[in-house]
Amino acid sequence: MPDITLTTLILLCLAAAAAGWIDAVVGGGGLLLLPALLLGLPNVPAAHVLGTNKAVAIVGTSGAAITYVRRAPVKVGLAVRVGLMALAGSMAGAFFAAGISSEVLRPVIMVALLGVAAFVLLRPSFGTAAGDTDARPVTRARIVTAVVLVGGGIGFYDGLFGPGTGTFLVLALTAVLHLDLVTASATAKIVNVCTNAGALAMFAYQGTVLWQLAAVMAVFNLAGGMAGARMALSRGSGFVRAVLLTVVFSLVAKLGYDQWTA
């Protein structure tokens, strides 16, 4: 456990709970958890912060995934196939990450996120049970697209850069597989478990995980993740859509701030 005050530990635990809730509903919990760790542990090397972040996040993501699988109509086999491809993609992205400038990527991702927000706002039926996403059959070609492009492509992005990966997964799964937003969130959680497991294994191998701190924060992240999953299931796609837009605009604001201060 690093040398931190009780106040800092409490704030980190609260941030972990909130991040778990956000991540379970629509993805993007890292937008809150990682900056909280960076602020709370200013003297800890960045690699240890990243490793600890993954150790915390995988617990909440796993809890949310289990909650969804028990209560939502999730095709676990398909989710695992996408997740395994995402795992491979994230490893490839991490391999190339050292040669890519985040200052170049941030504006590109900001534009993509704004496009996502505009699309969701202009298509109120997107991702709802009554919308046109459920009316068309899911072909084998779309399943292959989900595995290769959604899994591999977004997994690669996660390893290369990271912010908003869960949000992109939800949107891509909704668009490609015609899922409603609740089912897409459930599927995305299973994919996230796969990618987090791969990243955590690498961080653990490198010895860059603060296990004691992660264990304490993980309890709160788990509680937040399970609460978020239950709320998403009970309130439906309209609630998830509202949280999705909030997270998208928050991501844009965070990336814009990072670009401005870089």
Side-chain angles (χ1 to χ4, degrees):
M1 178 78 76
D3 185 17
I4 59 176
T5 65
L6 179 59
T7 300
T8 299
L9 178 60
I10 292 173
L11 291 174
L12 286 175
C13 288
L14 292 175
W21 187 92
I22 293 170
D23 206 50
V25 175
V26 75
L31 173 68
L32 175 60
L33 184 57
L34 187 56
L37 282 166
L38 289 170
L39 290 172
L41 306 173
N43 299 319
V44 173
H48 288 73
V49 172
L50 292 171
T52 304
N53 174 64
K54 283 298 181 184
V56 174
I58 193 172
V59 176
T61 302
S62 299
I66 292 171
T67 301
Y68 274 121
V69 168
R70 287 177 173 175
R71 301 177 59 181
V74 183
K75 295 181 179 179
V76 178
L78 175 61
V80 170
R81 277 182 283 171
V82 177
L84 291 176
M85 181 61 75
L87 173 61
S90 66
M91 294 176 67
F95 179 80
F96 289 103
I100 301 296
S101 171
S102 60
E103 285 73 20
V104 174
L105 283 175
R106 285 193 197 106
V108 176
I109 303 306
M110 288 169 63
V111 172
L113 284 168
L114 288 172
V116 165
F119 178 79
V120 174
L121 285 170
L122 294 173
R123 291 281 302 277
S125 64
F126 179 74
T128 63
D132 59 3
T133 55
D134 295 337
R136 294 163 292 176
V138 178
T139 63
R140 183 177 180 83
R142 284 185 174 272
I143 293 176
V144 173
T145 300
V147 172
V148 176
L149 295 184
V150 178
I154 296 180
F156 182 85
Y157 165 78
D158 189 24
L160 186 69
F161 194 54
T165 296
T167 304
F168 284 132
L169 275 173
V170 172
L171 288 166
L173 290 169
T174 302
V176 174
L177 297 179
H178 305 155
L179 303 177
D180 63 86
L181 286 172
V182 172
T183 305
S185 293
T187 306
K189 292 289 87 56
I190 298 175
V191 176
N192 279 166
V193 171
C194 295
T195 56
N196 284 341
L200 179 58
M202 181 60 67
F203 284 122
Y205 175 76
Q206 295 172 341
T208 56
V209 180
L210 303 174
W211 291 109
Q212 289 180 311
L213 176 61
V216 175
M217 294 177 63
V219 174
F220 290 84
N221 191 252
L222 175 63
M226 296 181 72
R230 291 192 184 98
M231 192 171 293
L233 288 166
S234 63
R235 297 199 177 186
S237 294
F239 170 73
V240 176
R241 183 175 181 271
V243 177
L244 171 64
L245 288 171
T246 302
V247 171
V248 165
F249 285 121
S250 298
L251 278 167
V252 171
K254 176 64 168 58
L255 291 171
Y257 176 79
D258 289 345
Q259 183 70 16
W260 180 264
T261 57

